[in-house]
Amino acid sequence: MSGQTNRITISTKTPEFPTAPSLYGLFFEDINHAADGGLYPEMIRNRAFEDSLVPEECTTDPEEKIIINPYGWPGAFNKGEGMDEWAAAVPPTDIPAWYSYRARMTLLTDPAACLNPNRKAALEVCFEEGGSISNIGYCGMAVKPGEAYDFMMFAASGVPAVITAQLMSGGSVLGSAVIALAAGEDYAQYSAVIQVPEGMDTGDSSLSPCLVLTADRACTVTFGFTSLLPERTYKGHGLREDLAEALKNTHSKFIRFPGGCVVEGISERNAWRFSRSIGPVWERPSGWLMWHYRATNGLGFHEYLQLCEDLEMDAMFVCNCGMSCQARRGGGFSEEITDEYLEEALNALSYALDPADTEYGAKRAAAGHPEPFGLKYVEIGNENHGPEYNARYEKFYHALKERYPQVTYISNGHTEEAGLPTEMVDEHYYSSPEFFFEHVNHFEDYDRKGPEIFLGEYAVNGGNTIASMECALAEAAFLTGVERCQDVVKLTAYAPLFQNADYTAWKPNLIVFDSREVYGIPTYHAVSLFGKYRGDEVYGIKVDGETKPPVYHGVPGILCGKDGLKFRNAKLNGVPVEVTREVYGEVCEAEDGAFMMVTGSHRHVFTGKSDAWNSAFGRFIENSPFRGEKTLWAVFGENSEPADLTEYTFEIDVLRDEDNPLTLNIWNFRPDTDAGCNEPKDTEWTAMSVRRQSWRIDGCTSAVRVPGWHDKPLTPDETVQADIDFTRYNTYKIAANREGFDCYINGEFVQSCRLPLLPEVTASATGNGEEILVKLVHAGEEASMAVIAPDCAVEDDAVREIIAAPLDAVNSFADKTNVSAKEEKLHLSRNAEGEVIVDLPAHSIQVLRLKKA
Ligand code: AHR
């Protein structure tokens, strides 16, 4: 038990403001195979045979290991299997997920052979008598005893034939259906129900059960489209029951969809479009997602809206705003294409909101929903920014607002600063646990007269472990700060939502599933707990609690600059050190024993990536329009003894132009986890490595801060004007200690960074006429106590729900609720003043429900 007392004072008599009714929500993106083979429970992978087609506007290497988008950005392809790991895990085949036995498969791509103009491939199979083709699904098909499965296909056969569709596991037939094909050149649609008997042992391996289609005689059959879906779905609307229930159990109030980066796409033609996501599934064009697989859009606009309605959550649609993914070096589309996307957005809103006697309302009615859907929010673009974004945001905002004024529109950034009408701003934070603890008061000084804030994506995705209790604690601490500021922060959503454990392109994710099972990571249980207990009003709260100094450690120095920056005489604790790694760009020798940073050919190799990917990325850097503008990184002193330091001095002489800003990062670390998106996941150093404090000198302006997204602009008292002669080498020195670091130029002290103490106890309080709901996060590693002092009397009996676990505790398929909330009844202890005393178990998140007396 720690010695210090935590004191929490709560003012219930004059509530500060009402709670934001929709504070907790969800963010769905088709990432990690979250849709096909996930929430949209299609069991046949590559059901339209289009997975191996090279995405439009992209090129490949000769072996088709990677695709390269029009901006030069490479992504894993592997002939349509996607990520290298997945490709290695399945038996080789030219037509992903499909295999043949005494049958020859040929992929047809002639438009005349395809089912309809939106289909780009068909599968021709020459069966011998008794020959078959099979599909292994998304790492095995989840076949359950007693359940029925709807098989559907479009096929054309030269002769009458009988196809038997069987679900098989290890040689055993689990269920089957017989389909008689008529002879004819044209496609015909066939459907059959495969019933699996009660009590059947359905087997369980990564490649089975699978679907087998066997022909009774030698024949040639062309398949135009196939599908196998469970009959039993959430509220009968086609989505996977256990995953939808997992969403329901979060107590969320809204769902943001369909992305994320998929909204931006990898090219002009590839970005997410409403028009491709409605109508019969076999007529919906498929699209290659930047998360390394093709999606067939079975989970389309209608299905998203229906899901929201079924879950009783508000819908938030993110539309493409005429821009591609800027993080992958895409940019604004032409005016003509931008207008196409605006038209798409207008039509989507019409589909959702207009009466059934309008063009798009009629399409909705034809799909089974005559009444308008409740589309409440529309976000214009995802993670787009800069002048190109502002121009498009303005255009979209006015066009959409004029037609649908009832909708709340969300901007990707603080467009109000550019004088644009801005109702709500979406901010994203992915960072370390320390970042979230440090920023618990982040929203306190936001302008209450400015736009409302949507914390649209956040997650601890760096640190010692991911998807662990440590992450949940840091996020929950941050959320207590959000709860205290819900007069400005109106909506939040953890990101991303779903991870198919067999197809992971991004980690961590709130909910993990495979074909059969599902569990929530610790954060899932924390946000569900917070979402469950909302209250009507926010009470003033004061927390005098334990704090802890952060102890940062890591590799001494990373130097960041742009092309042409020269340096020499790097020293760690006075001893010369060398560049041990070039992360972005190259370091080459300059005159006088000095070195120069150049964009170069990006010598750094991303380990775990194919050679094709590495050389494509090198070419991308070489030819990038950002060449010369990109910040280059060099790491020093990784080989010094010890390399992992807390207290040290690092100094270096640098010659740079005034417009070449210099950044020195300290306490850098290589994350042990494979968090984040897989693009640079396997590299030994990523952006995650430099999330520690940094010193940046832009021109002569010096500033120290923690790098982060949506950094608030530097205030004048955070910056110092330094005396720098740009015609010569200047010596920049950082002296780091446990409290922070001091910065010197040419021996003159410039400024210091004092590390903020991290709060061990954070809290918020809401309530109503009957209850006070105290959310309490205790990050300390020892159990502690808190005195809770509300300004009104409370009863002796209370209830709490609490999550307590070691920092590295995680959930898994084997132990799904290892970290989860438990309800406890409390008989409250009191101190001499009659104030309530509650225990704070080590590493705990709780909601304490006090009954007003
Ligand atoms: O949540 C994963 C990705 O992170 C989203 O697609 C994107 O918006 C963000 O960069």
Side-chain angles (χ1 to χ4, degrees), residues 27 29 31 256 259-262 264 290-291 327-328 382-383 428 430 457 495-497 506 509 677 709:
F27 162 47
E29 173 165 30
I31 188 169
R256 175 178 181 241
C261 292
V262 301
E264 303 161 89
M290 60 199 26
W291 306 117
R328 291 172 180 78
N382 174 66
E383 288 187 352
H428 297 178
Y430 293 99
E457 295 183 28
L497 182 57
W506 180 292
N509 304 275
C677 100
W709 290 14

Side-chain angles (χ1 to χ4, degrees), residues 832-851:
E833 288 75 43
E835 294 162 335
V836 167
I837 299 175
V838 240
D839 66 309
L840 304 175
H843 312 139
S844 61
I845 303 166
Q846 60 176 300
V847 178
L848 174 68
R849 299 168 60 187
L850 300 173
K851 236 192 188 105

Side-chain angles (χ1 to χ4, degrees), residues 213-224:
L213 303 177
T214 308
D216 68 331
R217 70 199 63 178
C219 58
T220 299
V221 181
T222 308
F223 296 88

Side-chain angles (χ1 to χ4, degrees), residues 415-692:
T415 37
E416 79 280 8
E417 287 168 6
L420 301 176
T422 309
E423 299 174 20
M424 190 179 264
V425 172
D426 178 7
E427 297 192 0
H428 297 178
Y429 299 92
Y430 293 99
S431 198
S432 61
E434 292 87 357
F435 172 89
F436 285 96
F437 282 120
E438 267 173 31
H439 288 79
V440 286
N441 297 326
H442 183 72
F443 296 104
E444 253 161 39
D445 58 3
Y446 272 49
D447 180 4
R448 266 50 184 177
K449 296 199 186 75
E452 295 181 332
I453 300 298
F454 168 35
L455 176 57
E457 295 183 28
Y458 70 88
V460 170
N461 68 348
N464 296 323
T465 50
I466 53 164
S468 64
M469 182 65 187
E470 183 180 14
C471 308
L473 273 172
E475 292 150 355
F478 190 71
L479 287 176
T480 59
V482 168
E483 288 250 350
R484 292 194 304 267
C485 294
Q486 52 190 299
D487 54 335
V488 63
V489 184
K490 298 294 178 183
L491 310 169
T492 65
Y494 180 89
L497 182 57
F498 279 125
Q499 174 187 340
N500 183 328
D502 293 312
Y503 291 90
T504 299
W506 180 292
K507 258 193 205 165
N509 304 275
L510 197 65
I511 297 172
V512 185
F513 67 91
D514 63 11
S515 295
R516 300 162 185 85
E517 297 178 89
V518 56
Y519 71 86
I521 64 169
T523 301
Y524 172 87
H525 295 276
V527 290
S528 304
L529 182 61
F530 277 17
K532 184 171 170 189
Y533 295 107
R534 298 289 299 114
D536 301 329
E537 45 204 22
V538 177
Y539 299 143
I541 188 163
K542 192 166 169 290
V543 182
D544 287 320
E546 298 158 33
T547 54
K548 165 178 102 174
V551 182
Y552 291 132
H553 52 91
V555 170
I558 288 190
L559 173 76
C560 302
K562 294 181 184 166
D563 251 343
L565 181 144
K566 288 185 190 162
F567 64 87
R568 63 187 184 196
N569 298 336
K571 287 185 199 140
L572 173 65
N573 292 331
V575 178
V577 277
E578 291 175 351
V579 171
T580 44
R581 192 177 299 269
E582 298 145 287
V583 181
Y584 291 122
E586 285 178 28
V587 170
C588 61
E589 284 184 24
E591 72 287 357
D592 303 335
F595 298 91
M596 183 158 73
M597 299 189 84
V598 291
T599 303
S601 60
H602 189 78
R603 274 206 299 241
H604 179 73
V605 167
F606 287 79
T607 54
K609 290 281 180 195
S610 62
D611 292 346
W613 194 95
N614 274 313
S615 53
F617 197 71
R619 279 196 304 281
F620 167 74
I621 295 285
E622 192 88 335
N623 301 322
S624 167
F626 298 87
R627 191 185 156 90
E629 283 180 26
K630 194 168 162 50
T631 300
L632 313 171
W633 305 357
V635 185
F636 292 82
E638 267 178 292
N639 52 1
S640 56
E641 278 296 330
D644 188 21
L645 294 166
T646 295
E647 301 184 62
Y648 62 88
T649 60
F650 177 69
E651 64 194 283
I652 188 163
D653 299 345
V654 177
L655 174 65
R656 63 188 182 94
D657 292 337
E658 195 168 355
D659 60 0
N660 194 344
L662 165 72
T663 307
L664 287 168
N665 292 290
I666 60 168
W667 298 313
N668 311 289
F669 69 112
R670 177 167 68 82
D672 290 332
T673 61
D674 57 355
C677 100
N678 85 312
E679 291 285 13
K681 175 181 89 178
D682 299 312
T683 185
E684 292 173 340
W685 284 87
T686 71
M688 292 301 301
S689 310
V690 287
R691 292 259 167 106
R692 302 306 198 203

Side-chain angles (χ1 to χ4, degrees), residues 261-533:
C261 292
V262 301
V263 166
E264 303 161 89
I266 54 175
S267 68
E268 279 186 357
R269 295 277 158 207
N270 164 279
W272 196 92
R273 281 173 188 250
F274 153 75
S275 60
R276 294 182 184 162
S277 82
I278 55 165
V281 291
W282 55 90
E283 287 177 9
R284 299 182 190 180
S286 65
W288 185 263
L289 303 183
M290 60 199 26
W291 306 117
H292 322 295
Y293 55 89
R294 190 173 279 276
T296 60
N297 286 319
L299 181 59
F301 193 64
H302 188 101
E303 289 77 16
Y304 283 119
L305 293 171
Q306 185 65 60
L307 175 70
C308 293
E309 188 174 286
D310 289 347
L311 293 170
E312 297 175 79
M313 298 180 193
D314 293 324
M316 180 191 291
F317 169 54
V318 186
C319 67
N320 183 289
C321 66
M323 295 188 82
S324 182
C325 181
Q326 286 162 287
R328 291 172 180 78
R329 301 289 184 268
F333 304 154
S334 66
E335 197 175 343
E336 192 192 339
I337 306 262
T338 300
D339 288 346
E340 272 181 32
Y341 280 101
L342 176 55
E343 196 60 28
E344 290 272 357
L346 284 163
N347 293 344
L349 268 65
S350 176
Y351 186 99
L353 298 170
D354 282 342
D357 59 1
T358 59
E359 182 188 351
Y360 282 93
K363 289 181 196 282
R364 180 194 64 236
H369 201 286
E371 291 307 312
F373 279 114
L375 177 60
K376 190 160 178 190
Y377 311 95
V378 169
E379 180 164 359
I380 300 171
N382 174 66
E383 288 187 352
N384 294 128
H385 52 84
E388 286 186 298
Y389 175 68
N390 290 354
R392 286 165 176 77
Y393 168 80
E394 187 174 14
K395 180 176 196 161
F396 274 61
Y397 179 82
H398 289 302
L400 297 171
K401 190 76 186 174
E402 192 183 312
R403 285 256 298 268
Y404 301 98
Q406 71 272 39
V407 170
T408 299
Y409 295 94
I410 303 172
S411 171
N412 289 176
H414 282 273
T415 37
E416 79 280 8
E417 287 168 6
L420 301 176
T422 309
E423 299 174 20
M424 190 179 264
V425 172
D426 178 7
E427 297 192 0
H428 297 178
Y429 299 92
Y430 293 99
S431 198
S432 61
E434 292 87 357
F435 172 89
F436 285 96
F437 282 120
E438 267 173 31
H439 288 79
V440 286
N441 297 326
H442 183 72
F443 296 104
E444 253 161 39
D445 58 3
Y446 272 49
D447 180 4
R448 266 50 184 177
K449 296 199 186 75
E452 295 181 332
I453 300 298
F454 168 35
L455 176 57
E457 295 183 28
Y458 70 88
V460 170
N461 68 348
N464 296 323
T465 50
I466 53 164
S468 64
M469 182 65 187
E470 183 180 14
C471 308
L473 273 172
E475 292 150 355
F478 190 71
L479 287 176
T480 59
V482 168
E483 288 250 350
R484 292 194 304 267
C485 294
Q486 52 190 299
D487 54 335
V488 63
V489 184
K490 298 294 178 183
L491 310 169
T492 65
Y494 180 89
L497 182 57
F498 279 125
Q499 174 187 340
N500 183 328
D502 293 312
Y503 291 90
T504 299
W506 180 292
K507 258 193 205 165
N509 304 275
L510 197 65
I511 297 172
V512 185
F513 67 91
D514 63 11
S515 295
R516 300 162 185 85
E517 297 178 89
V518 56
Y519 71 86
I521 64 169
T523 301
Y524 172 87
H525 295 276
V527 290
S528 304
L529 182 61
F530 277 17
K532 184 171 170 189
Y533 295 107

